[in-house]
Amino acid sequence: MMPWLERPWQQLNTSFKSGRFHHAQLLAGLQGVGKLALAQGLADAILCEKTSELLACGQCKSCALIAAQTHPDKLLVSSEGATIGVDEIRAIGDFIYHSAQQGGNKVVIVHQAHKMTHSAANALLKTLEEPNAKRFLILTCDDVAQLPATIVSRCAKSNIAVQSEQQVRAWLTQQLGDYAEQLWINLFISQPLKIKHWFETGQVEQINQLFHSIDTLNHTTDVSQYVELLVKSPELVNEMGRFVQGRIKQGLYNGADFSKITVAQQALADFIKDHQQIPGLNLQLALLKLFTALKQALQ
């Protein structure tokens, strides 16, 4: 288990051993903090035939099925797209109300539950309102504010977060070696699995390029190549926003004109808002506008 997950696991384990473990668990925290890994561990322990706490034995028939990813009483609901639809959530009800094929518990994980549509959330609410014995739901969520209050109120909520930056740095060094010394890593220390994913997928080169481009940005910099990078990889826009925010703070510290810094800060806020809310946004034009404001602030 990743070291920063031990504390929430211990709290959940205490409630499990005392018989107070809620049938619906909500794991809330930043993307990349390990909520899905914790949810999978909890589900495996709940399905284990021999454990008396939230830790699977790894030896029973149920654990063997889990290892083979063929356990019939475990269901993962997730979506690579922008939403989780009502049909996917309705399937949970069908899954729960059928008998457990292994004769024990049944567990459903809804990963990134904040992606549920309004209809999907209403469908899940019906399931939450009618709990069945030996049936458990584990929800993960990046932003609780995006979940209906009616869903949140019917779950036992656990906040999953990094407690010790030093602990995470030690873990990243163990996982990545010298690569964990990248300067930009401090900006994402609360999302260690996100960092690891970038290295595993090779996307770290794009992150390095983006960080360097903004870290060295001045009024003479040609930003067209960086705009091209973001147009090709729009999923990096939020990371770019953090780099720009850091550059704005650095400019303010170095005595840049406060009024221009304020304009750059507002330009960043407007860009992030437009990127999130305007379908079909002309990303190239929006980025050029943002970089122009930033370059003027750093003159």
Side-chain angles (χ1 to χ4, degrees):
M1 182 179 294
M2 288 162 281
W4 62 90
L5 296 180
E6 290 182 3
R7 182 177 177 181
W9 174 82
Q10 288 173 354
Q11 293 171 339
L12 290 164
N13 190 41
T14 297
S15 67
F16 184 79
K17 290 192 294 184
S18 64
R20 294 182 287 106
F21 191 77
H22 199 273
H23 77 281
Q25 298 288 334
L26 173 60
L27 309 180
L30 293 174
Q31 180 186 14
V33 77
K35 301 184 299 298
L36 180 58
L38 180 57
Q40 294 279 18
L42 295 177
D44 295 350
I46 290 169
L47 291 170
C48 178
E49 299 170 3
K50 296 182 178 181
T51 187
S52 59
E53 56 182 46
L54 283 177
L55 190 63
C57 73
Q59 299 177 349
C60 66
K61 180 181 178 181
S62 183
C63 286
L65 289 170
I66 289 169
Q69 298 183 2
T70 57
H71 201 298
D73 298 323
K74 179 181 178 181
L75 176 65
L76 172 64
V77 176
S78 64
S79 174
E80 293 297 326
T83 62
I84 296 175
V86 64
D87 290 341
E88 296 163 284
I89 298 301
R90 283 175 178 162
I92 293 175
D94 295 336
F95 175 82
I96 282 179
Y97 295 127
H98 282 83
S99 299
Q101 293 189 38
Q102 293 301 305
N105 297 322
K106 299 189 81 169
V107 185
V108 178
I109 299 172
V110 182
H111 181 45
Q112 295 184 319
H114 56 278
K115 288 185 176 183
M116 288 188 297
T117 64
H118 179 71
S119 297
N122 284 338
L124 183 64
L125 183 60
K126 292 180 180 179
T127 301
L128 291 173
E129 289 176 336
E130 301 173 359
N132 285 31
K134 296 188 175 183
R135 303 294 185 266
F136 297 88
L137 288 110
I138 305 173
L139 283 60
T140 74
C141 179
D142 297 349
D143 184 2
V144 173
Q146 295 183 41
L147 275 180
T150 49
I151 297 287
V152 177
S153 65
R154 286 165 174 78
C155 298
K157 181 185 168 201
S158 298
N159 292 314
I160 311 304
V162 166
Q163 301 295 326
S164 167
E165 292 186 4
Q166 183 178 2
Q167 186 182 62
V168 173
R169 287 193 182 94
W171 182 84
L172 286 171
T173 298
Q174 184 182 43
Q175 298 293 315
L176 307 175
D178 292 340
Y179 291 111
E181 300 301 319
Q182 302 288 341
L183 293 175
W184 52 261
I185 279 182
N186 287 338
L187 296 174
F188 302 96
I189 203 70
S190 59
Q191 299 170 282
L193 295 189
K194 196 171 192 177
I195 297 171
K196 185 181 179 185
H197 173 74
W198 287 334
F199 279 92
E200 290 175 341
T201 60
Q203 201 169 25
V204 68
E205 294 303 325
Q206 292 175 306
I207 299 293
N208 280 333
Q209 182 183 358
L210 193 58
F211 174 77
H212 179 73
S213 68
I214 294 172
D215 189 53
T216 59
L217 184 70
N218 57 52
H219 67 282
T220 64
T221 302
D222 178 8
V223 299
S224 59
Q225 60 179 315
Y226 310 126
V227 170
E228 182 180 354
L229 169 62
L230 288 165
V231 169
K232 289 181 178 178
S233 304
E235 70 276 8
L236 298 180
V237 163
N238 289 333
E239 283 63 50
M240 180 275 299
R242 289 204 197 180
F243 295 156
V244 170
Q245 183 65 55
R247 193 72 171 88
I248 288 173
K249 289 182 179 179
Q250 182 184 4
L252 186 61
Y253 179 79
N254 291 337
D257 185 277
F258 182 76
S259 62
K260 292 182 178 180
I261 285 290
T262 302
V263 170
Q265 183 71 59
Q266 187 59 52
L268 175 60
D270 291 343
F271 171 81
I272 295 296
K273 180 180 177 181
D274 290 346
H275 181 259
Q276 293 174 343
Q277 298 183 1
I278 301 179
L281 175 71
N282 187 325
L283 185 57
Q284 183 169 2
L285 185 62
L287 283 166
L288 286 172
K289 181 180 178 181
L290 171 61
F291 280 130
T292 297
L294 184 58
K295 288 167 68 175
Q296 290 175 347
L298 299 176
Q299 286 182 355

